[in-house]
Amino acid sequence: MNTRPPQAPEFSLIDLIARHAGQRADVVLGIGDDAALLDASAFNGQQIVICTDTLVEGTHFLPGTAPQSLGHKSLAVNLSDLAAMGAEPRVATLSLTLPTAGSAWLEQFMTGWQTLARSYDLQLLGGDTTRGPLSITVTTIGRVPPGEALMRESAQPGDLILVTGSLGDAAMGLIQRRAAAVSDDRLTEQLDQPQPRVHFACQARASIHACIDVSDGLLADLTHILDASGCGATVEVENLPISKALGAVAGQRLARDLALTGGDDYELCLSCAPDQLVRLQDIASSLSLPLTCIGKIESLSGLRLTDAQGQPYHPGRMSYQHF
Amino acid sequence: MNTRPPQAPEFSLIDLIARHAGQRADVVLGIGDDAALLDASAFNGQQIVICTDTLVEGTHFLPGTAPQSLGHKSLAVNLSDLAAMGAEPRVATLSLTLPTAGSAWLEQFMTGWQTLARSYDLQLLGGDTTRGPLSITVTTIGRVPPGEALMRESAQPGDLILVTGSLGDAAMGLIQRRAAAVSDDRLTEQLDQPQPRVHFACQARASIHACIDVSDGLLADLTHILDASGCGATVEVENLPISKALGAVAGQRLARDLALTGGDDYELCLSCAPDQLVRLQDIASSLSLPLTCIGKIESLSGLRLTDAQGQPYHPGRMSYQHF
C-alpha cells in the first residue's frame, strides 16, 4: 500500500544507513537481506538482554530537534536500559519513520548514532525506513553472565540508595528550549546527548542489588524498585545531586523538584549494601562519574522525602507519563 | 517531556500486554524490568536471526483497520522475514505508538497477536507504549543452524523459481476496501491475516538456494534476489499463481499485474536446483500449501517476463515503494 508518490528510493536510504552501521566479527550478515544473522559466539553462553524504546516527535522531543542529537539519543536511551541491567551492548536494530526521505537529515542522524555506537563496539544489524510522522524505534541486544543481571526486585532494607551523575538538568534544558530562552549548553547537552552509564554498570554490577535507569523521574523510577522489592525508602532531598549549571539558573525548590520528577536523566538509581559503597565510589571515580548517596532502603513501605531538618518534603511537579 | 495530560497510565496497558505475552521456558525475565533476559539455551549454539518492521497508519494500512488484524499482521510481516531466512521464531518485542490509550483497542490487538504467536511458541519479551500517530514496530528474533540460513545471494543459473501460495490477493483486497466495494473475504483475509510461511521454510531450507518474502511485489523482490546473486531470470506470466477469488473479480491482465507488483503478499519466492522440485512439492503438499514454478534463473542479467506465446510481457503497475 502506497498512498503517496515516491520521493527517493528507500534503498538509497538503507545504503546510507549501512555506511554508518559499524562492524563486529560475530555478525555473520548485517544490513541487506530479509533479516540479520549473528553468531552464537556474540553471547558466549551468557544471557541475552533485549530492550526497545520509541521516541516520537512532539511526545519525546520537540519538533526541530537536531537530527544528530536524535541519532545519539535514540540509541542512548536504549543503552541506558541495558546499563540498568548491568549488560554489555552488542547489536541493535533501528526503525525510522520519516515525513520525507531527506538524506541530509539522515546523514546527520546516523553521525550522531555512530559516534555513540562506536564507543560500545555496537553494530547496527538492520531495520526499516518508512514514511509517516517522525518516530524512531530502537531495539538493542546485549549480554550479561547468568545470574548477574541487575533487576528492580533485589533491593533490601538497609541498602543505600545511590544515583550516578546529576538529576534535573535535562528537564531544565527542555524548559529553556521551550521558552526559547538563552539556554545553558550544559543543560541542553544533558537533554540532547545523555550518556548511558554502561561502563559503570558492567564494572559495578557485582556490588549492586537493585538498579533502574532514571527516565521517568527519580520518584517514579525509584518507586518501581520499591514496588518490585516490597520495600520502602527515605530520600533526603538535600543530598540530591544538583549540577552547578542547574543550581545557577533554578532556585533550590525548582532544582530539587526537577531532580525528583523531571525525568529524561538517563542516570542510574541503584541500591547496595553499605559495605559496597567504597568499591562503587572507586569505580565511579575511575570513570570520572559522580556517585551520590541520596537515602536508604527501609522495610516500611512507601517513599518518604525529608528535608535537612528531617521534616517531610513535598515536591511540586507531576512525574512524567507517556500517556 | 509530556505535552498532553495523562489519560490512562502506561502501566495498566503494559499489564494488559503482559497477559497476552505467552511463556517460554528459556525466557528468564519477560515484561516488567528495564530489559528482558533470555537464556542462551534458546539458541542452543545456532545462529541468531533478527529482523524488524514498522507498520504506519496511512502508509501500510488504512485508518480504521480492525485492531485484531493489526495485531496479527504486525507480527506476521516479521515472521515472514524470518521465514525468508529459513529461521525458527523464538521471541519478539513490540513498540506501540497510539493516539489514545484505549484498552479495548489494545485488548483486540493483542488477541490478534497472541493467536499467531501461540502457533509458533513465540514469547513477547517487552516493548514500549507511547502516545503519537498510530504506528507499530515489531522486532522478532529466531534461530537457524550455522550455514543453513537462506540468503538472497544464492540463486544459480538453471535454478527453478518457485512461489508459495497465490499472489495479488492482498492488493485486490485493498482496492476493494478503498473503493468501499463489496469485498471478497478470501481477498481481504490475505490483506489482513497473511500467513507467514515459517513451517515450510524451516522444513524446506536444505533444498532451497535463494529465498525472499514477497512484500513489495514479486518483480521488486525477485529483482533483489537477481541483483544479490548476479543472475537474471525469465518468468512466464501465465504460470503466476492467481487464486480463484482474484480471478473471479479481476480480468486476466489486472490479476497478473497485481500478482507481479501488488505487494503485501507475504509469500516466499525462492530458487532451487531442478532436482529438488519434487522434495519441495512434497513438503508444500504436506502443509496444504500451493507451490508453483513460475520461471528460471539464468546467467543473462535482467528480469524477462514472457506470455504464453513466449513474447515479452509488460506489466502496467508500479511496484510498491515505502517512499
Side-chain angles (χ1 to χ4, degrees), chain A residues 1 54 59-60 130-131 320, chain B residues 1 59-60 128 130-131 320:
Chain A
M1 174 179 167
T54 299
T59 303
H60 301 94
T130 191
R131 180 202 295 276
Y320 179 94
Chain B
M1 172 178 170
T59 302
H60 301 94
D128 195 21
T130 191
R131 179 203 295 277
Y320 179 93

Side-chain angles (χ1 to χ4, degrees), chain B residues 27 39 53 70 150 169 214 265:
Chain B
V27 173
D39 199 73
D53 256 308
L70 290 178
L150 301 175
D169 297 331
V214 182
D265 298 296

Side-chain angles (χ1 to χ4, degrees), chain A residues 1 3 6 8 10 33-34 36 38 48-50 52 54 58-60 95 127-128 130-131 139 152 213 320 322-323, chain B residues 1 3 6 8 10 33-34 36 38 48-50 52 54 58-60 95 127-128 130-131 139 152 213 320 322-323:
Chain A
M1 174 179 167
T3 55
E10 184 191 5
D33 213 298
D34 293 287
L38 189 59
I48 297 142
V49 188
I50 303 168
T52 192
T54 299
T59 303
H60 301 94
S95 287
D128 195 23
T130 191
R131 180 202 295 276
T139 301
R152 299 176 180 180
D213 75 317
Y320 179 94
H322 295 282
F323 274 108
Chain B
M1 172 178 170
T3 54
E10 184 189 6
D33 213 298
D34 293 286
L38 189 59
I48 296 142
V49 188
I50 303 168
T52 191
T54 298
T59 302
H60 301 94
S95 287
D128 195 21
T130 191
R131 179 203 295 277
T139 301
R152 299 177 180 180
D213 75 317
Y320 179 93
H322 295 282
F323 276 108

Side-chain angles (χ1 to χ4, degrees), chain B residues 136-166:
Chain B
I136 307 148
T137 298
V138 175
T139 301
T140 49
I141 303 179
R143 69 179 193 180
V144 68
E148 294 189 24
L150 301 175
M151 301 192 198
R152 299 177 180 180
E153 68 190 26
S154 310
Q156 296 173 21
D159 277 0
L160 304 178
I161 302 170
L162 308 180
V163 172
T164 61
S166 59

